[in-house]
Amino acid sequence: MSEQSTPQAGAIEAVADCPHCGKPLPLCICDSVTPIESKISLLILQHPQEQDRALGTARLTAMHFKDAVVKIGLSWPSLSKALGRTVHDPSRWAVLYLGSAKVSDLETDAEIVAINRKGEVEPHQRAILSDIEGIVLLDGTWSQAKALWWRNAWMLKCQRVILGPKRPSRYGKLRKEPRRDGLSTIEAAGLLLAALEKRPEIAEALNASFDRMLARYREVQADMPELAPKPKKRDYRRRKRG
Ligand SMILES: [Zn+2]
């Protein structure tokens, strides 16, 4: 044998991806996921440049629900087109909003707050939140999610909700916070559906899966660092830490 390849390159080529979650198989935890029957539908729009296969959670999130769709792209003409079925009343869908409104600035301690176009708390929280039949999540870095927001005008017809999570993201230092509320897609989905359906076990199931995913990531990073590269610095916001 005269040809030599680097052992790292060989190892990467030899490892297949899971067809369900899209992760390299050593990082896959699909076996442990049981789909939940939820009343509220979930649509996850993923920016095409979000390619964090190791730490991304969009497809893993969707696997937890019988009624969840992941679409990769930049724009769709309507909610119905994005979802792949007819939605009669987009105002009964809510987009997890990324604008400047922060729950900590609003006078509420709710974990989910419906806001209006001015970023103010909607007066009829309960009526709006109890009427929601579907959630749209934007998956990607903060700037990618903002691009999705601006390119999909139909989202203006949806409700806007923001989150005030009681605890920080489980990503910890593994990934800089991709969203203003600091949560991963899987944590945001768990918090939203658990609260809207009043089923805390939904958040528990999703958080437990996320913990398993992160534990697997750390194991693989120790054994096969080429499969779970250390996260690069992300550019979505420049925040001075004092
Ligand atoms: Zn998988």
Side-chain angles (χ1 to χ4, degrees), residues 18 20-21 28-30:
C18 167
H20 307 291
C21 67
C28 165
I29 58 151
C30 288

Side-chain angles (χ1 to χ4, degrees), residues 147-210:
L148 286 168
W149 168 263
W150 288 114
R151 282 165 175 256
N152 289 277
W154 51 266
M155 288 185 197
L156 295 172
K157 295 179 190 160
C158 301
Q159 304 294 334
R160 299 176 187 188
V161 294
I162 56 175
L163 300 178
K166 300 280 187 247
R167 53 163 290 171
S169 171
R170 286 165 158 76
Y171 269 136
K173 288 185 184 149
L174 273 181
R175 194 182 196 190
K176 290 214 171 176
E177 296 165 6
R179 303 175 47 89
R180 191 164 283 259
D181 50 49
L183 295 183
S184 62
T185 295
I186 195 168
E187 291 168 301
L191 200 164
L192 277 161
L193 271 78
L196 294 174
E197 298 201 9
K198 300 190 170 60
R199 290 167 67 194
E201 69 273 18
I202 294 180
E204 284 159 18
L206 269 65
N207 288 338
S209 289
F210 191 40

Side-chain angles (χ1 to χ4, degrees), residues 29-154:
I29 58 151
C30 288
D31 278 357
S32 64
V33 174
T34 311
I36 298 165
E37 206 132 3
S38 61
K39 288 198 281 276
I40 294 172
S41 310
L42 187 62
L43 171 63
I44 302 173
L45 302 179
Q46 187 179 57
H47 194 284
Q49 272 147 28
E50 164 65 10
Q51 289 174 343
D52 193 344
R53 289 190 313 148
L55 282 171
T57 60
R59 288 173 71 178
L60 181 63
T61 304
M63 286 179 57
H64 283 77
F65 298 100
K66 292 190 175 165
D67 187 10
V69 173
V70 179
K71 287 288 172 67
I72 300 168
L74 273 177
S75 70
W76 294 265
S78 66
L79 174 55
S80 298
K81 285 276 193 311
L83 190 61
R85 63 176 158 86
T86 304
V87 175
H88 295 288
D89 187 358
S91 74
R92 296 190 59 192
W93 278 67
V95 180
L96 181 53
Y97 186 62
L98 300 140
S100 54
K102 278 193 294 183
V103 168
S104 52
D105 296 340
L106 305 171
E107 286 183 5
T108 171
D109 63 351
E111 281 196 296
I112 301 175
V113 181
I115 56 167
N116 65 18
R117 290 186 180 201
K118 293 179 186 161
E120 301 157 346
V121 180
E122 281 279 359
H124 306 292
Q125 289 293 312
R126 245 184 237 163
I128 291 170
L129 296 178
S130 64
D131 213 27
I132 285 176
E133 61 176 40
I135 296 283
V136 182
L137 293 176
L138 308 177
D139 186 73
T141 63
W142 200 57
S143 60
Q144 289 169 350
K146 267 202 311 193
L148 286 168
W149 168 263
W150 288 114
R151 282 165 175 256
N152 289 277
W154 51 266

Side-chain angles (χ1 to χ4, degrees), residues 7-8 11-12 15 26-27 214-230:
Q8 282 203 347
I12 289 174
V15 173
L27 290 172
L214 293 176
R216 184 68 61 84
Y217 177 88
R218 290 189 176 98
E219 281 166 32
V220 171
Q221 201 182 44
D223 296 347
M224 305 167 80
E226 68 279 8
L227 279 185
K230 286 225 162 69

